[in-house]
Amino acid sequence: MKSAVIPQVRVEPELRAELESVLRKGETLTDFVEATVRSAIAFRRVQTAFHERAQAASVEYHRSGIAAPVEVVLERLQDKLDVKRTKLGR
């Protein structure tokens, strides 16, 4: 498959200078833009999946009237956070 070009974006010189000031050693503007676009795509996918799960949960709640108590939800979230912190060594 042939590669494609992302459309050029015109920016103010100040933004271009700011962008260039954060490039890592050996990193090109193209590298940065590609990595940023990939990150934005991944974020949008996670965001979309979150909204879909939230919508499904809302529909299920309105259908059944059954919901988890806030204490249970917060406890589960805290457990997940604790596991993640342990994995990261914090």
Side-chain angles (χ1 to χ4, degrees):
M1 176 168 59
K2 290 175 65 175
S3 61
V5 176
I6 294 175
Q8 291 183 357
V9 178
R10 297 210 180 275
V11 297
E12 298 293 324
E14 295 83 9
L15 180 58
R16 170 82 187 234
E18 191 173 353
L19 170 57
E20 290 173 342
S21 75
V22 299
L23 293 177
R24 295 186 176 123
K25 184 176 182 176
E27 183 179 38
T28 66
L29 186 58
T30 300
D31 295 335
F32 181 87
V33 170
E34 181 181 354
T36 302
V37 169
R38 288 181 187 279
S39 292
I41 290 168
F43 177 80
R44 289 279 176 95
R45 286 188 173 140
V46 167
Q47 190 179 45
T48 298
F50 174 83
H51 285 281
E52 288 171 355
R53 288 191 312 274
Q55 182 63 31
S58 176
V59 167
E60 178 59 20
Y61 168 73
H62 289 292
R63 185 192 68 75
S64 70
I66 300 171
V70 68
E71 296 82 10
V72 172
V73 173
L74 291 176
E75 186 177 319
R76 288 178 188 166
L77 289 172
Q78 187 63 54
D79 291 344
K80 287 182 179 185
L81 181 60
D82 293 344
V83 167
K84 189 61 132 178
R85 283 183 172 156
T86 300
K87 283 183 181 178
L88 293 173
R90 292 184 184 171

